[in-house]
Amino acid sequence: MDAPVSRSDAARSDAPLIDPFARTIDYLRVSVTDRCDFRCVYCMSEHMTFLPKRDLLTLEELDRLCSAFVGLGVRKLRITGGEPLVRRNIMWFFDRMGRHLDSGALEELTLTTNGSQLARHAQALADAGVRRVNVSLDTLDAEKFARVTRWGRLDAVLRGIEAAKKAGLAVKINAVAIKDFNDGEIHDMIAWAGDEDLDLTFIEVMPMGEMEEQERLGQYWPLTQVRRTIAERWTLTESAHRTGGPARYVEVAETGRRLGFITPLTHNFCESCNRVRLTCTGTLYLCLGQDHAADLRAPMRASDDPAVLERAIRAAIALKPKGHDFDYSRQKVDGQVKARHMSVTGG
Ligand code: SAM
Ligand code: SF4
């Protein structure tokens, strides 16, 4: 195994990654595949065209790119997709990233998954140094689950969650709040998360990927309303808890668990954004809701010199925009990112 990457040997300079708005970039989300074994209705169309395999970075290249970011001060790495656990041999990559945890260069290695393959991989993830996983789950009703994911099975995901807990992983459930779909289940989900010792976060549906405007607006359930509904039944107190991501938390007195809200529409959190996103083809997106991007694959392939890659990364960070423009408030979908499904850059 190679020596662990430390700040001093991987980076050509010790300067952290700072964007034009003086935000330090220390969080990288990596979409390791655009493929998925589900077709969630808000994320993908039923008939997706995926990238040809030859366009994907190899796992070795992903290792090289992510290690370069770690060398430049990235402290948190979240592996996402598509569904990361369907990428062949992905545990090799987790093990490789684990060496940066061992060296102390990386503070946290996490995963966002649909849970379908989690039962198989939970122990290996824990062994690689993963301590927390986010599992996406929008409903506890098997029939509704099959409907919203098109191809998924609830029992496999529940088994995955069990296995993750058994392996000692902290599990957070991410649920997209969808009008006329899971609005009637919110209280049941909070009670269930309490019983199962899981934190739970609700996410506002974002206008990613081509979709009929009326269909998208029809899905949108502002979390300000969700929160009001929740407060009718549960005692909520503000929490200062942060995980380095965009969620804001409250404590639920009755369950003793945290409840998070990710509210890109009703409360814009861009001013404190510390994140950039790498796709499985080596494109770095500087903002989930804007198209500012830079190709890192070409400079990486052009030279083995780490200084070349560092220059490309720093030049990309200089492109980071102030924030996204998602807005549904005028009863139409503004700021939409039509060309890019969520599975390209990961959630
Ligand atoms: N397949 C994995 C999963 O489902 O967790 C990782 C990738 S998925 C794109 C990451 C997160 O994005 C999931 O929690 C999913 O619910 C969320 N997501 C997908 N499309 C979305 C959209 N249009 N608006 C809000 N969240 C979305
Ligand atoms: Fe797949 Fe995750 Fe998108 Fe669902 S949300 S289709 S599980 S990538």
Side-chain angles (χ1 to χ4, degrees):
M1 185 184 271
D2 299 347
V5 175
S6 68
R7 292 274 176 105
S8 53
D9 62 15
R12 311 313 310 158
S13 71
D14 280 339
L17 295 173
I18 307 226
D19 81 353
F21 302 93
R23 296 170 295 196
T24 302
I25 306 305
D26 59 6
Y27 188 164
L28 178 67
R29 294 196 173 191
V30 187
S31 175
V32 294
T33 175
D34 63 330
R35 289 164 197 255
C36 186
D37 52 349
F38 290 3
R39 292 287 181 279
C40 301
V41 294
Y42 45 75
C43 178
M44 292 193 182
S45 62
E46 189 155 14
H47 305 287
M48 292 287 290
T49 310
F50 293 111
L51 293 163
K53 290 222 168 99
R54 64 173 182 279
D55 286 358
L56 262 56
L57 298 181
T58 64
L59 291 176
E60 288 78 5
E61 287 175 323
L62 274 170
D63 177 10
R64 206 180 136 203
L65 263 181
C66 292
S67 298
F69 275 95
V70 172
L72 291 169
V74 160
R75 304 280 295 153
K76 283 174 190 260
L77 202 57
R78 176 172 292 280
I79 310 305
T80 176
E83 174 47 41
L85 297 183
V86 303
R87 173 128 191 201
R88 198 143 63 91
N89 220 8
I90 192 67
M91 283 307 139
W92 177 88
F93 176 73
F94 275 99
D95 282 340
R96 293 292 289 166
M97 293 302 104
R99 77 193 191 283
H100 300 314
L101 294 169
D102 295 342
S103 75
L106 189 64
E107 194 179 296
E108 194 173 41
L109 175 62
T110 56
L111 164 73
T112 300
T113 175
N114 66 22
S116 66
Q117 313 293 317
L118 196 51
R120 230 159 28 99
H121 293 301
Q123 190 56 53
L125 287 165
D127 293 346
V130 174
R131 295 289 166 261
R132 296 192 298 131
V133 294
N134 287 358
V135 178
S136 305
L137 179 60
D138 307 323
T139 172
L140 295 170
D141 178 304
E143 184 275 320
K144 280 166 73 179
F145 184 85
R147 211 162 4 114
V148 75
T149 61
R150 290 198 187 101
W151 295 4
R153 290 186 51 130
L154 178 64
D155 56 346
V157 175
L158 294 179
R159 271 201 309 280
I161 293 171
E162 252 343 281
K165 281 165 55 182
K166 215 155 144 202
L169 301 175
V171 179
K172 182 167 76 98
I173 304 297
N174 279 345
V176 178
I178 310 167
K179 198 160 69 180
D180 298 331
F181 177 73
N182 56 6
D183 34 6
E185 267 189 90
I186 293 301
H187 299 307
D188 289 348
M189 289 188 78
I190 293 172
W192 170 77
D195 291 346
E196 296 289 326
D197 289 334
L198 306 166
D199 286 340
L200 172 64
T201 291
F202 289 109
I203 308 177
E204 275 171 355
V205 74
M206 286 174 254
M208 307 288 297
E210 190 86 58
M211 189 181 274
E212 286 297 315
E213 182 161 283
Q214 284 317 311
E215 192 182 347
R216 185 61 87 188
L217 278 172
Q219 294 176 342
Y220 179 49
W221 184 21
L223 286 188
T224 41
Q225 281 176 25
V226 179
R227 189 169 165 166
R228 265 199 300 278
T229 306
I230 294 170
E232 285 166 11
R233 165 105 164 256
W234 307 90
T235 315
L236 308 180
T237 45
E238 293 297 331
S239 160
H241 178 74
R242 294 282 182 276
T243 58
R248 296 290 171 267
Y249 292 91
V250 295
E251 309 268 350
V252 183
E254 290 83 354
T255 66
R257 303 299 310 182
R258 270 191 293 266
L259 185 63
F261 298 94
I262 300 184
T263 55
L265 284 309
T266 49
H267 174 80
N268 183 310
F269 41 65
C270 300
E271 78 224 15
S272 58
C273 183
N274 57 349
R275 293 172 289 286
V276 289
R277 296 156 195 275
L278 185 66
T279 71
C280 57
T281 56
T283 301
L284 190 72
Y285 278 95
L286 284 312
C287 172
L288 183 61
Q290 301 280 6
D291 287 327
H292 303 65
D295 174 37
L296 297 180
R297 183 174 59 184
M300 175 177 63
R301 288 184 177 169
S303 166
D304 285 338
D305 181 354
V308 172
L309 189 51
E310 180 189 345
R311 270 200 301 278
I313 292 173
R314 289 193 186 281
I317 298 297
L319 301 173
K320 189 166 165 65
K322 198 164 179 197
H324 67 71
D325 300 316
F326 298 150
D327 185 5
Y328 297 165
S329 62
R330 290 181 284 270
Q331 286 313 302
K332 64 186 192 55
V333 180
D334 280 347
Q336 191 164 13
V337 179
K338 281 195 177 160
R340 184 156 38 91
H341 284 270
M342 195 71 146
S343 50
V344 175
T345 30

